[in-house]
Amino acid sequence: MPILDEAQHKIVSDAVGEAELSTSGEIVPVLAQRSDAYSDIALMWAAAIAFTAMSIFAALPAPFLDLWDSLVGGWEHEWTTGETASMTIALGLIAFVATWLLLLIPALRIALVPSPVKQQRVREEAIRHFKVGADGRTHGRTGVLLYLSMQEHRAEIVADEPIHEKVDAEVWGEAMADMLDEIRKGCIAEGIAAGVRDVGVVLAQHFPRKDDDRNELPDRLIEL
């Protein structure tokens, strides 16, 4: 399902058009539900839980074996080495499958992804979309992509090289802060619009609009 409705998309599109009136730069806002499936992280968690379960069983087998005997009839059973090994493997497989099934819940999977991994994946996805949708697609290479990933609660600003050379990364921090302040209130469209306006102010300082300037990229929000 779309994150924003038509009216909210218009809020962002209008902000892009207004911001570009004073700059030759082109602003591309992108909104994504998430930046990665994190299947590799889920696999690592499942393997770690399975290994932990097998290790605990190997260290303290008696309680598990007594419980199993009670569940299947209550008669004591003399476990052979082969049977104990089979039980260890079975326990590991059960733990692995159970963990994997639990991590099919998106909210739980995202919660177990380490913060640095989220930041890296969001950054990589932002750069990928920038290369596809904005990199080098303007006459003076003055494209800026503002990327927001909802499930990770992360945002990135990626700019063409000429902009990167003139604008320090810290400068984008203000645009990011204004955007996130609104988004934390639940005002997603208004937050993106605020970020777009701030980016426009920065671009106007370094890349003012020229008389022969033309709009090279669509003034709209790209929702993934």
Side-chain angles (χ1 to χ4, degrees), residues 120-135:
Q120 179 186 3
R121 300 285 171 89
V122 170
R123 179 68 179 173
E124 290 173 352
E125 193 69 0
I127 292 172
R128 187 178 75 83
H129 284 291
F130 175 75
K131 289 180 177 179
V132 172
D135 187 19

Side-chain angles (χ1 to χ4, degrees), residues 123 141 143-144 157-169 172 207:
R123 179 68 179 173
R141 297 192 66 199
V144 177
I157 295 177
V158 185
D160 262 317
E161 189 61 31
I163 298 174
H164 180 71
E165 290 175 353
K166 292 186 177 182
V167 181
D168 293 333
W172 301 125
F207 300 91

Side-chain angles (χ1 to χ4, degrees), residues 32-38 118 121-122 125-126 147 149 152:
Q33 282 281 7
R34 66 180 182 186
S35 295
D36 194 82
Y38 300 103
K118 290 180 187 176
R121 300 285 171 89
V122 170
E125 193 69 0
Y147 180 84
S149 193
E152 289 91 345

Side-chain angles (χ1 to χ4, degrees), residues 21 25 42 78 106 108 115 117 130 135 166 169 203 207:
L21 290 176
E78 196 67 36
L108 182 58
S115 183
V117 174
F130 175 75
D135 187 19
K166 292 186 177 182
L203 290 176
F207 300 91

